[in-house]
Amino acid sequence: MNKIIYLDAAASALKPESVIKTEMDFLRNSYANAGRGICARAIAVDDKIANARKKVADFIGAKSPEQIVFTSGTTDGMNRITKIINDSVSGDSLKNKTIMVSDLDHHSARLPFEVLPDSIACKIILCPLDSKYNLTESDLPKADVFVITAMSNVLGVPQNVAGLVAAARKKNSDVITIVDAAQFIVHEKIDVQKWDCDFMCFSAHKIGADTGLGVMYIKNPERWILPDKFGGGMIARINGSAVNNDYSLQWEPAPDKFEAGTLPITQIVGLPAAIDYLEKNRPNLDLIKYLYDELSKNKKIKIITKRDATLLTFVVDGMHVLDFGALVGSAGVCLRVGNMCAGWIHKLLDIPGSIRISVGPWNTMDEMRQVVDLINSIVK
């Protein structure tokens, strides 16, 4: 092979030229901080941030841009949601609350609740999976908080988020629902109003935008009284007297209340271009079907995913996944090996790790033929 074949879109997407040009032009010609100045240049940057926020709101079907909070990624968002809920729920924070997670979860979706300090430790329960490892609405346990992985980064199958949220609310009308949409958002249109979830997160770099940027959707921002981070730009007023510290703080309304400090401005400016590109250039999943059909002919390859999944995950008899990754990597193919930061589903599958191929709009059928030939030359 004379070039790199990048088959790790599920980890991070390559950046379209439109995103690169937008960010380079901004850095060269228009850069200023956001929310910090009143000169024409600073106001223009504020407008770019506002336009990006509206773009995201429209992209995911939110009612208002004020429901969109910029974070540093899905991991940041999921951790922040845990703290926002803990500091704002009625009663004794999350202590003794029941949190429903699942074995589909990425570590960032589940660990923030799993490793809470003993002083606020909660009860962890599992959402049931059916025989095909999909989240099921039947016999759903009652929970105070429900974490939903909209699409596993190992199995690549969309889950019925709206149905799961509705089923959870039948058991507890006050349940707080949190959706990890990091993988889902690349492949299917999201409508957060239809989902009716309380929170949703995704990472910008998954859809071709820059790293260091994520989105946290909050259905009812003003329900959550205390912000989870503190700094500039999120205090509207200090009431009272500085004498003897006799004062109180008044927060800015959302989203400013949840965006303390300087935002990842350049990344935000490039985000609308990534959204435009993705909406016209979703990954071609016929490439995955071709790989499934061809690699399933090799008796030493055990494919874990379904033919119509959004990615291909497999293991090789008698070969460690790291060895496989090193061999294909030396031939110029970039893919993912390991537990994909999703240890629970691998434990359920009774394998220590797996090999994952994921495609983006840049991949071609000719590349898939080359990859099949390479894999078959390695796995004999």
Side-chain angles (χ1 to χ4, degrees):
M1 294 181 184
N2 297 319
K3 64 167 189 169
I4 295 294
I5 297 179
Y6 188 80
L7 296 174
D8 202 13
S12 195
L14 299 182
K15 312 311 168 196
E17 191 63 27
S18 58
V19 172
I20 297 170
K21 285 183 176 180
T22 299
E23 291 194 10
M24 292 297 289
D25 179 69
F26 173 68
L27 289 169
R28 287 194 178 110
N29 304 310
S30 306
Y31 185 84
N33 207 337
R36 301 293 190 274
I38 58 172
C39 67
R41 186 157 173 155
I43 291 172
V45 174
D46 289 344
D47 288 342
K48 289 180 183 293
I49 299 294
N51 289 338
R53 201 183 301 277
K54 184 178 185 306
K55 186 78 172 182
V56 172
D58 293 342
F59 179 50
I60 63 172
K63 286 184 179 179
S64 165
E66 283 68 41
Q67 297 172 305
I68 307 302
V69 175
F70 290 121
T71 69
S72 69
T74 305
T75 297
D76 181 45
M78 298 300 289
N79 279 270
R80 291 184 62 186
I81 289 168
T82 305
K83 185 168 182 5
I84 289 168
I85 294 172
N86 182 67
D87 292 346
S88 299
V89 294
S90 59
D92 190 14
S93 66
L94 284 173
K95 187 175 182 180
N96 299 323
K97 300 289 185 182
T98 300
I99 315 298
M100 182 157 52
V101 296
S102 82
D103 285 334
L104 295 186
D105 290 341
H106 186 278
H107 292 168
S108 64
R110 183 166 162 179
L111 284 177
F113 292 101
E114 291 266 16
V115 298
L116 283 170
D118 289 342
S119 59
I120 52 172
C122 51
K123 179 183 178 183
I124 301 294
I125 60 173
L126 290 178
C127 177
L129 301 180
D130 64 19
S131 60
K132 296 181 179 179
Y133 304 107
N134 291 309
L135 300 173
T136 176
E137 303 155 32
S138 60
D139 299 322
L140 204 64
K142 180 180 178 181
D144 298 300
V145 177
F146 185 13
V147 179
I148 302 170
T149 293
M151 181 183 289
S152 163
N153 69 342
V154 177
L155 301 179
V157 175
Q159 302 299 302
N160 181 14
V161 176
L164 290 161
V165 170
R169 292 228 164 97
K170 287 182 180 178
K171 294 295 181 72
N172 177 10
S173 60
D174 295 323
V175 65
I176 300 166
T177 53
I178 307 165
V179 180
D180 173 0
Q183 294 296 324
F184 187 103
I185 196 162
V186 179
H187 300 285
E188 297 204 15
K189 182 70 176 175
I190 286 178
D191 185 340
V192 289
Q193 293 188 62
K194 180 179 178 181
W195 281 0
D196 198 29
C197 55
D198 295 294
F199 295 90
M200 186 275 291
C201 293
F202 70 89
S203 296
H205 71 94
K206 302 283 189 182
I207 65 170
D210 209 343
T211 51
L213 173 64
V215 167
M216 174 170 61
Y217 160 82
I218 308 179
K219 180 182 177 183
N220 296 310
E222 298 311 318
R223 172 186 177 184
W224 310 103
I225 300 169
L226 288 176
D228 62 304
K229 297 172 73 173
F230 303 93
M234 42 89 72
I235 295 179
R237 187 176 294 108
I238 298 176
N239 299 313
S241 171
V243 179
N244 298 322
N245 290 326
D246 184 20
Y247 65 87
S248 62
L249 301 175
Q250 180 179 331
W251 311 117
E252 290 281 5
D256 292 346
K257 179 170 74 171
F258 300 106
E259 292 181 345
T262 297
L263 292 169
I265 304 165
T266 306
Q267 293 91 326
I268 294 172
V269 168
L271 182 55
I275 292 173
D276 286 339
Y277 183 84
L278 176 68
E279 290 186 317
K280 297 175 182 177
N281 300 276
R282 297 274 181 178
N284 179 7
L285 297 183
D286 285 342
L287 304 182
I288 294 295
K289 291 181 176 67
Y290 172 80
L291 291 173
Y292 182 98
D293 291 342
E294 292 300 312
L295 295 180
S296 62
K297 298 174 184 177
N298 190 319
K299 294 182 180 180
K300 288 190 176 181
I301 294 175
K302 179 184 177 183
I303 298 178
I304 295 168
T305 46
K306 300 193 304 181
R307 186 176 184 272
D308 61 351
T310 61
L311 44 80
L312 185 79
T313 303
F314 61 97
V315 293
V316 177
D317 287 344
M319 182 178 291
H320 196 284
V321 296
L322 295 180
D323 293 334
F324 180 90
L327 288 170
V328 296
S330 66
V333 174
C334 299
L335 45 70
R336 180 78 184 271
V337 296
N339 72 6
M340 317 302 163
C341 303
W344 292 285
I345 189 62
H346 283 89
K347 188 175 180 63
L348 193 63
L349 293 168
D350 197 27
I351 53 176
S354 59
I355 302 156
R356 184 184 70 192
I357 294 176
S358 51
V359 298
W362 55 85
N363 291 122
T364 66
M365 187 60 77
D366 183 59
E367 289 179 331
M368 300 307 105
R369 296 187 187 100
Q370 294 180 61
V371 169
V372 168
D373 289 344
L374 172 64
I375 291 175
N376 283 331
S377 72
I378 292 172
V379 184
K380 298 179 180 178

